[in-house]
PDB file of all heavy atoms in Angstrom:
ATOM      1  N   ILE A 542       4.602 -14.805  11.296  1.00 96.00           N
ATOM      2  CA  ILE A 542       3.582 -13.780  11.098  1.00 96.00           C
ATOM      3  C   ILE A 542       4.228 -12.391  11.022  1.00 96.00           C
ATOM      4  O   ILE A 542       3.837 -11.561  10.190  1.00 96.00           O
ATOM      5  CB  ILE A 542       2.512 -13.831  12.220  1.00 96.00           C
ATOM      6  CG1 ILE A 542       1.800 -15.194  12.201  1.00 96.00           C
ATOM      7  CG2 ILE A 542       1.494 -12.699  12.053  1.00 96.00           C
ATOM      8  CD1 ILE A 542       1.126 -15.534  10.885  1.00 96.00           C
ATOM      9  N   SER A 578       2.220 -31.502  -7.976  1.00 96.00           N
ATOM     10  CA  SER A 578       1.288 -32.611  -8.157  1.00 96.00           C
ATOM     11  C   SER A 578       2.028 -33.879  -8.563  1.00 96.00           C
ATOM     12  O   SER A 578       2.760 -33.897  -9.568  1.00 96.00           O
ATOM     13  CB  SER A 578       0.251 -32.226  -9.219  1.00 96.00           C
ATOM     14  OG  SER A 578      -0.720 -33.224  -9.345  1.00 96.00           O
ATOM     15  N   ASP A 610      15.053  -3.128 -12.077  1.00 98.00           N
ATOM     16  CA  ASP A 610      15.756  -2.592 -10.909  1.00 98.00           C
ATOM     17  C   ASP A 610      15.999  -3.613  -9.811  1.00 98.00           C
ATOM     18  O   ASP A 610      16.830  -3.394  -8.925  1.00 98.00           O
ATOM     19  CB  ASP A 610      14.975  -1.405 -10.325  1.00 98.00           C
ATOM     20  CG  ASP A 610      14.951  -0.213 -11.285  1.00 98.00           C
ATOM     21  OD1 ASP A 610      15.846  -0.141 -12.150  1.00 98.00           O
ATOM     22  OD2 ASP A 610      14.031   0.620 -11.175  1.00 98.00           O
ATOM     23  N   CYS A 618       8.382 -20.953 -15.359  1.00 98.00           N
ATOM     24  CA  CYS A 618       7.942 -21.448 -16.665  1.00 98.00           C
ATOM     25  C   CYS A 618       7.405 -22.864 -16.548  1.00 98.00           C
ATOM     26  O   CYS A 618       7.850 -23.645 -15.699  1.00 98.00           O
ATOM     27  CB  CYS A 618       9.124 -21.488 -17.639  1.00 98.00           C
ATOM     28  SG  CYS A 618      10.062 -19.961 -17.765  1.00 98.00           S
ATOM     29  N   ASP A 622       4.621 -29.736 -22.290  1.00 96.00           N
ATOM     30  CA  ASP A 622       3.731 -30.865 -22.048  1.00 96.00           C
ATOM     31  C   ASP A 622       4.351 -31.766 -20.992  1.00 96.00           C
ATOM     32  O   ASP A 622       5.562 -31.733 -20.756  1.00 96.00           O
ATOM     33  CB  ASP A 622       3.510 -31.658 -23.340  1.00 96.00           C
ATOM     34  CG  ASP A 622       2.309 -32.591 -23.269  1.00 96.00           C
ATOM     35  OD1 ASP A 622       1.577 -32.528 -22.260  1.00 96.00           O
ATOM     36  OD2 ASP A 622       2.114 -33.368 -24.216  1.00 96.00           O
ATOM     37  N   TYR A 631      10.441 -39.699 -13.696  1.00 98.00           N
ATOM     38  CA  TYR A 631      10.221 -39.467 -12.269  1.00 98.00           C
ATOM     39  C   TYR A 631      10.285 -40.776 -11.492  1.00 98.00           C
ATOM     40  O   TYR A 631      10.959 -40.871 -10.461  1.00 98.00           O
ATOM     41  CB  TYR A 631       8.870 -38.787 -12.026  1.00 98.00           C
ATOM     42  CG  TYR A 631       8.487 -38.834 -10.565  1.00 98.00           C
ATOM     43  CD1 TYR A 631       9.093 -37.983  -9.643  1.00 98.00           C
ATOM     44  CD2 TYR A 631       7.587 -39.781 -10.096  1.00 98.00           C
ATOM     45  CE1 TYR A 631       8.792 -38.064  -8.294  1.00 98.00           C
ATOM     46  CE2 TYR A 631       7.278 -39.873  -8.745  1.00 98.00           C
ATOM     47  CZ  TYR A 631       7.883 -39.009  -7.844  1.00 98.00           C
ATOM     48  OH  TYR A 631       7.604 -39.108  -6.509  1.00 98.00           O
ATOM     49  N   GLU A 635      12.786 -42.047  -8.583  1.00 97.00           N
ATOM     50  CA  GLU A 635      12.310 -42.485  -7.267  1.00 97.00           C
ATOM     51  C   GLU A 635      12.928 -43.831  -6.895  1.00 97.00           C
ATOM     52  O   GLU A 635      13.344 -44.047  -5.743  1.00 97.00           O
ATOM     53  CB  GLU A 635      10.784 -42.595  -7.267  1.00 97.00           C
ATOM     54  CG  GLU A 635      10.223 -43.004  -5.912  1.00 97.00           C
ATOM     55  CD  GLU A 635       8.711 -43.179  -5.910  1.00 97.00           C
ATOM     56  OE1 GLU A 635       8.103 -43.163  -7.000  1.00 97.00           O
ATOM     57  OE2 GLU A 635       8.144 -43.346  -4.815  1.00 97.00           O
ATOM     58  N   THR A 673       2.777 -23.559 -10.707  1.00 98.00           N
ATOM     59  CA  THR A 673       3.610 -22.350 -10.609  1.00 98.00           C
ATOM     60  C   THR A 673       3.106 -21.433  -9.495  1.00 98.00           C
ATOM     61  O   THR A 673       3.904 -20.746  -8.847  1.00 98.00           O
ATOM     62  CB  THR A 673       3.636 -21.553 -11.939  1.00 98.00           C
ATOM     63  OG1 THR A 673       2.338 -21.033 -12.237  1.00 98.00           O
ATOM     64  CG2 THR A 673       4.137 -22.411 -13.081  1.00 98.00           C
ATOM     65  N   ILE A 675       1.596 -22.460  -6.684  1.00 98.00           N
ATOM     66  CA  ILE A 675       2.038 -23.064  -5.423  1.00 98.00           C
ATOM     67  C   ILE A 675       3.488 -22.670  -5.157  1.00 98.00           C
ATOM     68  O   ILE A 675       3.852 -22.263  -4.044  1.00 98.00           O
ATOM     69  CB  ILE A 675       1.894 -24.601  -5.481  1.00 98.00           C
ATOM     70  CG1 ILE A 675       0.429 -25.001  -5.629  1.00 98.00           C
ATOM     71  CG2 ILE A 675       2.501 -25.240  -4.229  1.00 98.00           C
ATOM     72  CD1 ILE A 675       0.226 -26.488  -5.882  1.00 98.00           C
ATOM     73  N   ILE A 676       4.310 -22.764  -6.189  1.00 98.00           N
ATOM     74  CA  ILE A 676       5.728 -22.416  -6.060  1.00 98.00           C
ATOM     75  C   ILE A 676       5.895 -20.937  -5.739  1.00 98.00           C
ATOM     76  O   ILE A 676       6.709 -20.562  -4.880  1.00 98.00           O
ATOM     77  CB  ILE A 676       6.478 -22.792  -7.354  1.00 98.00           C
ATOM     78  CG1 ILE A 676       6.544 -24.321  -7.486  1.00 98.00           C
ATOM     79  CG2 ILE A 676       7.886 -22.192  -7.368  1.00 98.00           C
ATOM     80  CD1 ILE A 676       6.994 -24.802  -8.838  1.00 98.00           C
ATOM     81  N   LYS A 701       6.115 -12.332 -25.705  1.00 98.00           N
ATOM     82  CA  LYS A 701       7.300 -11.491 -25.877  1.00 98.00           C
ATOM     83  C   LYS A 701       8.447 -11.966 -24.986  1.00 98.00           C
ATOM     84  O   LYS A 701       9.611 -11.976 -25.388  1.00 98.00           O
ATOM     85  CB  LYS A 701       6.961 -10.032 -25.554  1.00 98.00           C
ATOM     86  CG  LYS A 701       5.926  -9.404 -26.473  1.00 98.00           C
ATOM     87  CD  LYS A 701       6.471  -9.222 -27.871  1.00 98.00           C
ATOM     88  CE  LYS A 701       5.468  -8.459 -28.742  1.00 98.00           C
ATOM     89  NZ  LYS A 701       5.972  -8.271 -30.131  1.00 98.00           N
ATOM     90  N   LEU A 708      12.507 -19.303 -25.220  1.00 98.00           N
ATOM     91  CA  LEU A 708      11.923 -20.397 -24.461  1.00 98.00           C
ATOM     92  C   LEU A 708      11.341 -21.495 -25.343  1.00 98.00           C
ATOM     93  O   LEU A 708      11.302 -22.661 -24.941  1.00 98.00           O
ATOM     94  CB  LEU A 708      10.846 -19.864 -23.506  1.00 98.00           C
ATOM     95  CG  LEU A 708      11.342 -18.953 -22.383  1.00 98.00           C
ATOM     96  CD1 LEU A 708      10.207 -18.638 -21.417  1.00 98.00           C
ATOM     97  CD2 LEU A 708      12.517 -19.575 -21.641  1.00 98.00           C
ATOM     98  N   GLY A 722      14.885  -8.631  -4.491  1.00 98.00           N
ATOM     99  CA  GLY A 722      16.007  -7.759  -4.161  1.00 98.00           C
ATOM    100  C   GLY A 722      15.760  -7.045  -2.851  1.00 98.00           C
ATOM    101  O   GLY A 722      15.303  -7.649  -1.883  1.00 98.00           O
ATOM    102  N   ILE A 748     -16.203 -26.516  13.663  1.00 96.00           N
ATOM    103  CA  ILE A 748     -15.659 -27.159  14.864  1.00 96.00           C
ATOM    104  C   ILE A 748     -16.728 -28.012  15.528  1.00 96.00           C
ATOM    105  O   ILE A 748     -17.843 -27.544  15.762  1.00 96.00           O
ATOM    106  CB  ILE A 748     -15.155 -26.091  15.872  1.00 96.00           C
ATOM    107  CG1 ILE A 748     -14.097 -25.192  15.205  1.00 96.00           C
ATOM    108  CG2 ILE A 748     -14.593 -26.763  17.116  1.00 96.00           C
ATOM    109  CD1 ILE A 748     -13.663 -24.037  16.043  1.00 96.00           C
TER     110      ILE A 748
END
Side-chain angles (χ1 to χ4, degrees):
I542 299 302
S578 185
D610 294 338
C618 308
D622 196 7
Y631 167 76
E635 182 183 10
T673 66
I675 296 172
I676 291 168
K701 297 292 186 180
L708 294 187
I748 303 173

